[in-house]
Amino acid sequence: MKLTIIGCTGSFPGPGSPASCYLVSAFDGEREWQILLDLGSGAVGVLQRYTGLRDLDGVMITHLHPDHFMDLCGMHVAIRWDPNKWGRERMLVWGPEATEDRIGTAYGLAPDDAEGMHKDFDFRSWEPLQPVEIGPFKITPYPVRHPIEEAYALRVEATEPVADGSMMTSVLTYSGDTDSCDGLVEAARGADIFLCEAAFEEGRDDHIEGVHLTGKRAGETATAAGVHRLLLTHIPVWTDINTVVDEATEVYDGGIAVAVSGVTYGVWSGNRLGDPRAMPTAPVAMIRPDPQQRTWPGRPSR
């Protein structure tokens, strides 16, 4: 199983990354399967550097805050309005019960639109602790502690053939957004990689209960769960990366890294397999012309 960081900035997109979105891939012996864990603000653009939207086998939404699901609006446009046609089945979306209504409202669908987004998405609702299977993946939602109706950590297990013909199962746990809780420890138990949010800092955010983890609390959870590697994520622009890493290091003695948009990891090995992909861009002058050189309607050029 491989994990590619698409978006990892907490709460809203940052200058170097979209909000939460993680591409997970695994091979079942015949083909590669790909799922997304969350699809937050700004993620659809960067995602297309690493895979085609038609190649996705499903989107797994942890909770309905915009930084974790809002780019389903962009996915809807890509599916519904492609002049070359989508050409495959509806996109599978697992999430909280209100996912369909919330994304329809966000896009501005009329309240009496009975069809909604059903032409584009196959919406399914999580049942706590009930696993779902997609190709080689088994995904189990664990209720966690966050101020919204439903919030889940996702335990993703992938069983794949290896070179000697045997089968190997690797485990990735993604915290979603949460404060410390028993459900998070159970979701992460023995995981090869624990992709865990660390949005808060000790001391600065002690007065806020039940919202996010600090680096220390993420490290404590990793220790309690016996995970093999801790990958800190969902770090907002106002939280210092070095601070949350130092906090985690004090209470967890395994491997620690910080998620970076575009990096790929082997889940079982924990090894970094790829670097952010550079994409050609137009010169800035072509995107934002010098105002002195613009020609406005009804106004002569200078």
Side-chain angles (χ1 to χ4, degrees):
M1 180 162 48
K2 292 186 294 185
L3 165 68
T4 299
I5 312 300
I6 303 300
C8 55
T9 299
S11 302
F12 59 93
S17 171
S20 297
C21 182
Y22 308 92
L23 175 65
V24 184
S25 60
F27 184 66
D28 69 351
E30 296 183 2
R31 73 169 178 93
E32 184 178 63
W33 292 70
Q34 297 185 108
I35 60 173
L36 295 179
L37 309 181
D38 282 338
L39 188 58
S41 316
V44 162
V46 173
L47 173 64
Q48 292 170 86
R49 298 182 182 183
Y50 299 93
T51 190
L53 300 183
R54 289 182 180 85
D55 295 326
L56 295 169
D57 295 292
V59 182
M60 315 291 118
I61 301 298
T62 61
H63 67 287
L64 298 178
H65 280 152
D67 58 318
H68 291 260
F69 88 106
M70 190 55 70
D71 262 26
L72 282 172
C73 285
M75 185 74 76
H76 157 72
V77 173
I79 295 171
R80 177 75 62 92
W81 298 108
D82 186 342
N84 299 309
K85 308 301 181 185
W86 181 242
R88 56 161 294 178
E89 69 274 10
R90 295 177 298 162
M91 181 64 68
L92 177 64
V93 177
W94 280 92
E97 185 177 3
T99 301
E100 178 183 0
D101 291 340
R102 289 285 297 277
I103 198 62
T105 300
Y107 193 73
L109 297 183
D112 60 353
D113 186 342
E115 187 177 65
M117 291 191 176
H118 278 288
K119 286 180 64 176
D120 312 311
F121 298 123
D122 179 5
F123 291 105
R124 312 280 183 91
S125 297
W126 298 120
E127 292 290 341
L129 307 181
Q130 296 301 306
V132 300
E133 295 188 4
I134 302 170
F137 297 110
K138 183 171 77 170
I139 305 110
T140 306
Y142 286 75
V144 291
R145 187 180 169 208
H146 195 59
I148 195 168
E149 294 87 354
E150 292 182 65
Y152 298 99
L154 301 179
R155 182 180 179 90
V156 182
E157 301 168 77
T159 301
E160 304 168 276
V162 293
D164 64 3
S166 63
M167 304 296 286
M168 181 183 74
T169 298
S170 51
V171 180
L172 165 70
T173 293
Y174 168 43
S175 68
D177 281 4
T178 181
D179 202 342
S180 299
C181 61
D182 292 341
L184 184 60
V185 175
E186 291 307 310
R189 185 79 64 190
D192 297 298
I193 284 185
F194 182 28
L195 178 64
C196 187
E197 70 118 291
F200 282 175
E201 294 181 14
E202 292 288 319
R204 185 192 69 185
D205 303 305
D206 293 351
H207 61 291
I208 307 174
E209 275 285 321
V211 180
H212 290 298
L213 296 164
T214 61
K216 179 181 179 182
R217 296 202 289 269
E220 289 172 340
T221 302
T223 296
V227 306
H228 296 280
R229 185 174 178 86
L230 175 61
L231 186 56
L232 297 173
T233 192
H234 197 275
I235 301 173
V237 296
W238 50 63
T239 293
D240 182 70
I241 290 172
N242 294 317
T243 296
V244 295
V245 170
D246 289 345
E247 290 175 359
T249 301
E250 292 176 2
V251 293
Y252 173 70
D253 60 6
I256 298 176
V258 173
V260 175
S261 180
V263 173
T264 297
Y265 291 91
V267 172
W268 180 77
S269 67
N271 291 337
R272 180 168 169 164
L273 303 178
D275 293 317
R277 184 174 302 174
M279 296 294 285
T281 57
V284 172
M286 293 178 64
I287 301 171
R288 295 179 179 174
D290 183 339
Q292 299 300 318
Q293 302 300 318
R294 291 177 182 165
T295 301
W296 298 98
R299 188 181 301 173
S301 300
R302 295 184 180 182

